[in-house]
Amino acid sequence: MEHTSNAAVVPADIGWNDVGAWPALWDIAEKDDHGNVSAGDNLLRDVANSYIRGEDDRLIAAVGLQDMIVVSTDDALMIAPKDRAAEVKDLVESLKSSDRSEAVHHRRVYRPWGNYKDIDEEERFRVKRDHREAGRYPLPPEAQASL
């Protein structure tokens, strides 16, 4: 880019927010009457100024939270005060140093054709639920033969 003569710079005030932390997501999202950002299947009572996100099939029931971040995924449940959310990096480092699979392996893996989710796994087997987006990519011939 720095060597081109076919570029232009235009000043703009677009309201930049570096969405690299959980509190930043709370900052930019639409909030309810109590200042909460709620995504997923959540039941909130006496909760204020919090970011509650469920990405799995579990209900999040929260009572009496103030300025908290709660994120539930297939991999883990994270609960932290908004002002300490940066410490999550330290927890991830602890996971890595303890050789926990959650630090590097997600239960749901996305691919161009859709995604798969680990259902069960032991030493000699692994069971996955495969989700293919219709019309994106056909099944391989060996899989079509079993239909």
Side-chain angles (χ1 to χ4, degrees), residues 109-115 130-140 144:
V109 178
Y110 293 90
R111 297 288 185 237
W113 45 262
N115 65 73
D130 195 34
H131 174 80
R132 298 199 176 239
E133 296 184 21
R136 294 286 309 260
Y137 293 89
L139 290 171
Q144 290 179 9

Side-chain angles (χ1 to χ4, degrees), residues 17 19 22-32 35-39 50-51 53:
N17 188 335
V19 185
W22 293 109
L25 288 174
W26 178 84
D27 286 338
I28 65 169
E30 186 175 328
K31 297 163 189 66
D32 66 14
N36 297 312
V37 174
S38 178
S50 295
Y51 184 87
R53 180 182 194 89

Side-chain angles (χ1 to χ4, degrees), residues 29-84:
E30 186 175 328
K31 297 163 189 66
D32 66 14
D33 294 341
H34 303 283
N36 297 312
V37 174
S38 178
D41 189 10
N42 303 327
L43 178 61
L44 309 179
R45 176 163 296 153
D46 192 28
V47 175
N49 301 317
S50 295
Y51 184 87
I52 315 291
R53 180 182 194 89
E55 294 183 352
D56 50 13
D57 295 331
R58 291 182 291 190
L59 166 69
I60 297 175
V63 178
L65 300 181
Q66 175 81 29
D67 296 316
M68 296 292 287
I69 301 204
V70 178
V71 178
S72 180
T73 70
D74 289 329
D75 301 315
L77 171 64
M78 181 195 70
I79 304 169
K82 276 195 296 190
D83 62 352
R84 297 185 63 188

Side-chain angles (χ1 to χ4, degrees), residues 117-144:
K117 179 179 175 182
D118 288 337
I119 303 299
D120 196 7
E121 183 175 7
E122 289 189 13
E123 185 178 333
R124 296 181 50 113
F125 73 88
R126 184 174 179 188
V127 179
K128 301 177 185 180
R129 177 176 291 140
D130 195 34
H131 174 80
R132 298 199 176 239
E133 296 184 21
R136 294 286 309 260
Y137 293 89
L139 290 171
E142 61 273 12
Q144 290 179 9

